[in-house]
């Protein structure tokens, strides 16, 4: 029997041949016919050379290999993008092959054979999706993508220094290589004030991992068809835009401007300063005032006009205004209060769950593609796509947030047509929130504190043809002092009850310092936490630490070293270790704030758990970052609309947040204060 954990070694050093040492000192014993044409004539020599020091030899069974012609049609040195339909189909075929083999042992054989023949990015993505969805490999924890492909996350200058350090200095004496703090632009560019958000490793890993957990194309429909998948696409991206706007307020910038006129130039430029280690090419920049052009990229099988995007958008707007979409058979699919946002999300992203891809097109994905090819729309300069074309890099570009502000604007067109929540929809009879306070460790109540922190991440898994051993990069990121919520609740029903605590943070004033109307403020409310409590009769005091957030995952999970920190097999701790890597990074839970303090309102609501409850067993599931990521193989653990109670316009008379409140809600003024100091993480 093959050990399924050995499959994770296939992610190591993605450009090195599969027979070279993986992990600490493991080598795959590869059948000669599995070797590529370059190495088959010298198979005995290379296999003995790299196997002689191995502490673990992993036998690979010689089996008949499925037809890999479609996966191999993407060149090994090409860039790979899920947003490009042809690449999506290629990935879907490889996922189907990996999903279709009978056993872990056969999967290992097929994956070993494929690894040196298909594109490394394509291989990593397709094998990752298969491991997350196969019943016999679900318990595996995928290594951090930043460790396998650091070139998608790190300044390319760093790699020369890492190679020098690894080659000259023995392991144990190596020093971390510091990534410059803000290397992509200068302060002459106002957008660059947000470098710490757009270029944060954890945020970009979250976006990549979310699209890994929620692929939008696969031959096996069950891989895509997850509970409320379209709604989650809407909500996760809506929250990203809201969070970005709070960061803009933290840097004295106005809210992001929607990219809603596809014919106007994109004012912002972006120069990524990164190289692809697979294609050995620099990621292309986009200059200021670049316009979208009709695409004619024969290599990628794309021949589309900007007018195609506009036509798809108009049809989506028409469906929203009619209150229904039309499926491929001409039937009406209602865009109602409950499932409408889910249907619309699948239409907008254009997953295989879209009711009618022919009619509603591929609006969201192709928007990414048009922007990412705007520098070379007809391939005359033989350039690949820019960072907007890759889910691991797209959030680095300022235009990502302009595009998604427009995507969200279309979703809000639907939400605005729904009936506002009535007072009974929002209330919890007999339950009232009587007081709220947040207390940072060692700080003043209701004053949240942020600062800079430097942390190290091991990049050795992704450093091909470099001496073995750890090599660390040191990067700077935002951090906050941990804090605790204290919530006082009165339950005067005379019986024990259960409630869902919902915590949001939003700006108190707009960019001009004016008080905000509910219709605007609701779109800037970021979810901080959601959890279930039991309420005894009378007074209750609820305490909850910021590190327990249902939105975030801890730093160690984002950048985990699976070998170094794995608990003993079969232990209770190992169950805790078997988590998903999807989740917003905890160090970015709250916005940066201002030196003088960003004025915010913290909103707390306790809703009736009997109306929120989803009956299911969550033990052993990675459910602690469920707000943005859902729960693997389970229903979304909240019956309410995502973003409730801020996902709809307010009832008549509740034009401001204070008027919106019912007794089971409370708000408290908080200040987010930034201290411009740098602390080193204690690892």
């Amino acid at each position: 029997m093959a050990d399924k954990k050995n499959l994770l070694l296939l992610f190591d050093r993605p450009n090195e041949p599969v027979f070279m040492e993986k992990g600490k000192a493991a080598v795959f014993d590869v059948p000669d016919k599995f070797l590529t044409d370059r190495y088959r004539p010298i198979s005995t020599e290379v296999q003995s050379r790299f196997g002689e020091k191995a502490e673990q030899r992993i036998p690979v069974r010689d089996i008949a290999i499925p037809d890999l012609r479609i996966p191999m049609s993407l060149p090994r040195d090409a860039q790979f993008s899920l947003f490009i339909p042809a690449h999506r189909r290629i990935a879907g075929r490889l996922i189907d092959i990996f999903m279709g083999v009978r056993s872990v042992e056969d999967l290992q054989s097929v994956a070993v054979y494929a690894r040196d023949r298909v594109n490394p990015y394509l291989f990593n993505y397709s094998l990752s999706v298969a491991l997350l969805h196969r019943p016999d490999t679900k318990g595996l924890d995928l290594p951090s993508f930043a460790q396998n492909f650091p070139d998608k996350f790190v300044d390319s200058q760093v790699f020369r220094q890492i190679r020098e350090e690894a080659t000259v200095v023995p392991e144990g004496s190596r020093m971390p290589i510091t990534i410059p703090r803000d290397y992509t632009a200068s302060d002459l560019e106002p957008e660059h004030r947000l470098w710490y958000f757009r270029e944060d490793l954890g945020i970009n890993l979250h976006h990549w991992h979310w699209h890994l957990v929620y692929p939008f194309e696969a031959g096996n429909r069950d891989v895509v068809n997850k509970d409320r998948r379209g709604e989650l696409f809407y909500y996760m991206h809506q929250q990203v835009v809201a969070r970005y706007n709070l960061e803009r307020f933290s840097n004295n910038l106005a809210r992001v401007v929607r990219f809603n006129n596809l014919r106007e130039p994109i004012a912002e430029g972006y120069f990524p300063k990164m190289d692809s280690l697979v294609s050995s090419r620099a990621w292309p920049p986009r200059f200021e005032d670049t316009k979208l052009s009709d695409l004619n990229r024969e290599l990628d099988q794309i021949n589309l006009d900007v007018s195609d995007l506009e036509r798809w958008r108009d049809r989506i707007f028409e469906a929203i205004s009619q209150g229904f979409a039309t499926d491929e058979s001409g039937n009406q699919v209602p865009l109602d209060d409950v499932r409408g946002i889910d249907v619309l999300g699948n239409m907008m992203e254009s997953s295989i769950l879209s009711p009618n891809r022919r009619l509603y097109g591929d609006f969201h994905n192709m928007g990414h593609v048009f922007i990412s090819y705007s520098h070379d729309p007809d391939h005359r300069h033989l350039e690949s796509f820019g960072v907007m074309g890759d889910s691991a890099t797209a959030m680095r570009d300022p235009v990502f947030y302009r595009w998604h502000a427009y995507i969200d604007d279309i979703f809000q067109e639907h939400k605005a047509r729904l009936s506002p929540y009535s007072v009974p929809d929002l209330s919890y009879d007999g339950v009232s929130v009587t007081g709220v306070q947040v207390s940072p460790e060692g700080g003043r109540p209701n004053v949240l504190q942020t600062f800079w922190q430097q942390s190290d991440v091991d990049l050795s898994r992704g450093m091909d043809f470099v001496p073995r051993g750890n090599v660390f990069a040191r990067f700077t990121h935002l951090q906050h002092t941990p804090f605790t919520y204290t919530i006082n609740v009165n339950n005067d029903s005379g019986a024990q009850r259960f409630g869902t605590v919902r915590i949001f943070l939003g700006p108190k004033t707009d960019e001009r310092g004016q008080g905000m109307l509910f219709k605007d403020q609701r779109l800037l409310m970021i979810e901080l936490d959601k959890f279930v409590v039991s309420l005894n009769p009378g007074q209750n005091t609820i305490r909850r630490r910021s590190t327990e957030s249902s939105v975030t995952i801890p730093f160690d999970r984002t950048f985990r070293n699976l070998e170094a920190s794995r608990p003993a097999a079969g232990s209770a701790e190992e169950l805790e270790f078997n988590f998903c890597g999807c989740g917003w990074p905890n160090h970015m839970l709250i916005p940066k704030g201002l030196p003088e303090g960003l004025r915010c309102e913290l909103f707390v609501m306790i809703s009736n758990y009997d109306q929120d409850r989803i009956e299911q067993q969550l033990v052993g599931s990675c459910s602690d970052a469920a707000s943005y990521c859902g729960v693997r193989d389970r229903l979304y653990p909240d019956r309410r609309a995502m973003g409730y109670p801020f996902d709809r316009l307010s009832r008549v008379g509740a034009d401001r947040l204070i008027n919106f409140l019912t007794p089971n809600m409370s708000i408290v003024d908080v200040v987010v204060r930034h201290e411009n100091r740098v602390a080193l993480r204690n690892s």
Side-chain angles (χ1 to χ4, degrees):
M1 279 289 292
D3 184 345
K4 64 183 179 182
K5 290 177 184 171
N6 291 334
L7 291 165
L8 299 177
L9 296 172
L10 294 172
F11 293 118
D12 271 18
R13 298 179 175 246
N15 288 305
E16 289 185 356
V18 71
F19 53 76
M20 289 180 69
E21 194 178 287
K22 302 284 180 279
K24 286 185 176 173
V27 166
F28 287 95
D29 273 337
V30 184
D32 283 358
K33 76 173 192 184
F34 278 32
L35 297 175
T36 59
D37 294 345
R38 173 67 187 90
Y39 296 115
R40 201 175 302 130
I42 52 172
S43 62
T44 308
E45 185 182 332
V46 294
Q47 298 233 48
S48 60
R49 178 180 156 204
F50 290 105
E52 60 190 19
K53 293 182 182 176
E55 295 173 14
Q56 178 192 9
R57 299 183 75 95
I58 303 164
V60 178
R61 199 162 60 141
D62 186 352
I63 65 168
I65 300 297
D67 186 352
L68 289 171
R69 278 177 298 182
I70 292 174
M72 287 168 59
S73 65
L74 182 69
R76 286 264 302 163
D77 60 356
Q79 291 280 50
F80 166 71
S81 170
L82 285 174
F83 297 124
I84 295 173
H87 292 197
R88 225 182 293 161
R89 289 191 292 272
I90 291 169
R93 178 70 189 120
L94 189 54
I95 291 167
D96 289 347
I97 289 170
F98 288 152
M99 292 289 290
V101 292
R102 292 172 309 175
S103 64
V104 168
E105 193 168 26
D106 285 359
L107 175 61
Q108 178 177 282
S109 295
V110 173
V112 164
Y113 184 88
R115 187 184 183 278
D116 289 351
R117 289 171 171 81
V118 304
N119 179 280
Y121 296 137
L122 166 66
F123 176 85
N124 183 298
Y125 171 75
S126 303
L127 184 59
S128 296
V129 172
L131 295 183
L132 283 173
H133 292 89
R134 280 181 65 103
D136 52 4
T137 57
K138 272 180 186 168
L140 289 174
D141 298 307
L142 302 181
S144 169
F145 193 60
Q147 293 177 349
N148 296 122
F149 292 106
D151 53 309
K152 289 181 184 276
F153 301 90
V154 172
D155 173 18
S156 58
Q157 281 186 336
V158 169
F159 294 118
R160 183 196 58 76
Q161 296 170 270
I162 284 177
R163 287 195 175 90
E164 181 180 336
E165 188 76 13
T167 303
V168 175
V169 182
E171 189 181 11
S173 303
R174 294 172 188 168
M175 301 286 286
I177 304 302
T178 300
I179 303 170
R181 253 177 71 157
D182 44 2
Y183 55 86
T184 49
S186 74
D187 290 343
L188 289 173
E189 172 52 68
E191 295 293 327
H192 185 61
R193 294 180 206 170
L194 286 102
W195 66 270
Y196 65 91
F197 185 93
R198 290 187 286 98
E199 294 166 2
D200 182 78
L201 273 72
I203 282 179
N204 282 281
L205 275 169
H206 160 77
H207 190 240
W208 173 81
H209 207 113
W210 191 94
H211 282 282
L212 187 73
V213 175
Y214 292 96
F216 42 86
E217 189 107 26
N220 182 343
R221 193 176 172 85
D222 290 341
V223 172
V224 180
N225 192 13
K226 298 189 173 79
D227 182 53
R228 295 170 70 178
R229 185 212 181 289
E231 184 178 7
L232 201 52
F233 170 79
Y234 143 73
Y235 183 58
M236 190 277 285
H237 288 91
Q238 184 274 328
Q239 285 284 288
V240 164
V241 174
R243 286 179 170 277
Y244 189 67
N245 278 322
L246 272 173
E247 300 297 345
R248 294 180 73 83
F249 285 12
S250 299
N251 288 278
N252 297 304
L253 293 170
R255 271 167 280 190
V256 68
V257 177
R258 300 167 302 154
F259 183 49
N260 61 340
N261 181 350
L262 304 178
R263 304 281 176 173
E264 73 175 13
I266 300 170
E268 302 84 358
Y270 185 64
F271 293 73
K273 311 288 193 300
M274 296 192 305
D275 293 340
S276 165
L277 295 182
V278 168
S279 66
S280 300
R281 292 277 181 89
W283 283 87
R286 185 187 63 258
F287 289 84
E288 277 102 349
D289 295 321
T290 299
K291 278 188 169 181
L292 298 192
S293 303
D294 298 342
L295 291 185
N296 184 9
R297 305 264 319 184
E298 206 167 303
L299 199 66
D300 299 315
Q301 302 170 40
I302 297 174
N303 193 336
L304 284 170
D305 296 348
V306 177
S307 58
D308 290 312
L309 277 182
E310 293 168 329
R311 187 162 56 252
W312 296 335
R313 174 200 61 196
D314 293 345
R315 288 172 180 168
I316 292 169
F317 270 124
E318 183 183 19
I320 292 169
S321 66
Q322 291 174 332
F324 63 85
T326 305
D327 70 14
E328 290 174 357
S329 303
N331 303 311
Q332 293 183 5
V333 181
L335 300 180
D336 57 20
D337 288 24
V338 180
R339 301 300 299 185
I341 188 67
D342 192 48
V343 173
L344 190 57
N346 288 323
M347 286 164 58
M348 188 84 83
E349 187 188 19
S350 191
S351 73
I352 58 171
L353 307 178
S354 170
N356 196 335
R357 265 179 160 177
R358 273 196 183 149
L359 185 62
Y360 300 112
D362 197 358
F363 184 65
H364 161 262
N365 297 327
M366 290 312 299
H368 273 263
V369 172
F370 270 86
I371 294 168
S372 70
Y373 277 136
S374 57
H375 59 285
D376 191 16
D378 58 7
H379 207 200
R380 71 177 61 192
H381 300 295
L382 307 181
E383 282 287 320
S384 188
F385 49 80
V387 293
M388 269 291 276
D390 188 327
S391 61
T393 58
M395 289 183 70
R396 302 173 72 88
D397 192 329
V399 79
F400 174 91
Y401 305 91
R402 294 195 58 198
W403 177 238
H404 273 280
Y406 186 41
I407 295 289
D408 189 60
D409 199 49
I410 300 173
F411 282 125
Q412 296 305 332
E413 188 82 9
H414 162 71
K415 286 287 188 178
R417 299 179 67 83
L418 305 182
S419 304
Y421 292 119
S422 65
V423 170
D425 290 334
L426 299 168
S427 300
Y428 190 1
D429 289 342
V431 171
S432 54
V433 179
T434 56
V436 175
Q437 182 176 287
V438 283
S439 309
E441 291 177 4
R444 288 165 47 201
N446 298 333
V447 179
L448 301 175
Q449 302 161 330
T450 70
F451 56 94
W452 303 117
Q453 187 172 61
Q454 287 191 327
S455 300
D456 297 342
V457 59
D458 183 9
L459 302 184
S460 58
R461 287 174 174 273
M463 297 304 298
D464 303 289
F465 308 110
V466 167
R468 266 40 186 174
N470 296 341
V471 279
F472 287 94
R474 177 165 291 170
F475 64 103
T476 305
H477 58 88
L478 188 65
Q479 186 56 282
H480 59 270
T481 304
F483 55 91
T484 301
Y485 307 99
T486 304
I487 305 164
N488 295 318
V489 186
N490 190 41
N491 170 16
D492 64 12
S493 69
Q496 187 186 48
R497 306 174 81 178
F498 290 88
T500 305
V501 181
R502 302 167 187 273
I503 304 177
F504 289 82
L505 182 76
K508 189 173 177 69
T509 59
D510 66 14
E511 48 269 76
R512 298 171 300 163
Q514 305 296 311
M516 301 191 77
L517 293 171
F518 182 89
K519 70 180 181 65
D520 298 317
Q521 191 180 22
R522 75 179 186 88
L523 298 175
L524 298 171
M525 298 300 279
I526 60 172
E527 185 175 333
L528 297 186
D529 207 349
K530 180 167 58 182
F531 56 97
V532 178
V533 291
S534 65
L535 301 170
N536 296 318
Q539 281 294 328
N540 294 260
T541 300
I542 300 164
R543 289 187 175 85
R544 173 88 164 180
R545 298 193 307 274
S546 59
T547 51
E548 298 175 276
S549 169
S550 65
V551 171
T552 63
I553 56 175
F555 184 91
D556 296 335
R557 190 183 317 177
T558 301
F559 303 102
R560 61 196 182 281
N561 180 334
L562 297 178
E563 280 80 27
S565 52
R566 176 172 288 285
S571 67
E573 289 78 17
E574 191 187 34
L575 279 177
E576 284 298 307
F577 195 82
N578 283 342
F579 35 50
C580 301
C582 183
W584 192 255
N586 183 262
H587 61 268
M588 298 299 292
L589 175 64
I590 58 172
K592 178 172 80 73
L594 290 160
E596 66 274 20
L598 178 70
R599 296 166 62 209
C600 293
E601 289 180 308
L602 185 83
F603 169 92
V604 174
M605 173 186 192
I606 299 185
S607 57
N608 186 342
Y609 183 58
D610 290 338
Q611 295 168 13
D612 308 334
R613 181 202 308 264
I614 295 290
E615 295 291 349
Q616 61 183 348
Q617 177 59 260
L618 291 182
V619 174
S621 295
C622 41
S623 59
D624 54 348
S627 289
Y628 294 174
C629 291
V631 184
R632 187 160 71 188
D633 305 323
R634 300 288 193 279
L635 303 177
Y636 191 80
D638 183 6
R639 198 182 303 165
R640 304 277 190 180
M642 296 178 199
Y644 169 85
F646 296 114
D647 66 301
R648 298 190 190 179
L649 294 173
S650 62
R651 63 190 182 275
V652 174
D655 56 340
R656 294 189 186 270
L657 181 58
I658 188 73
N659 312 123
F660 177 77
L661 301 182
T662 51
N664 56 318
M665 304 176 190
S666 184
I667 53 175
V668 63
D669 285 357
V670 298
V671 167
V672 186
R673 188 161 288 155
H674 180 68
E675 192 179 342
N676 191 18
R677 63 182 172 90
V678 181
L680 189 62
R681 171 181 292 276
N682 298 319
S683 53

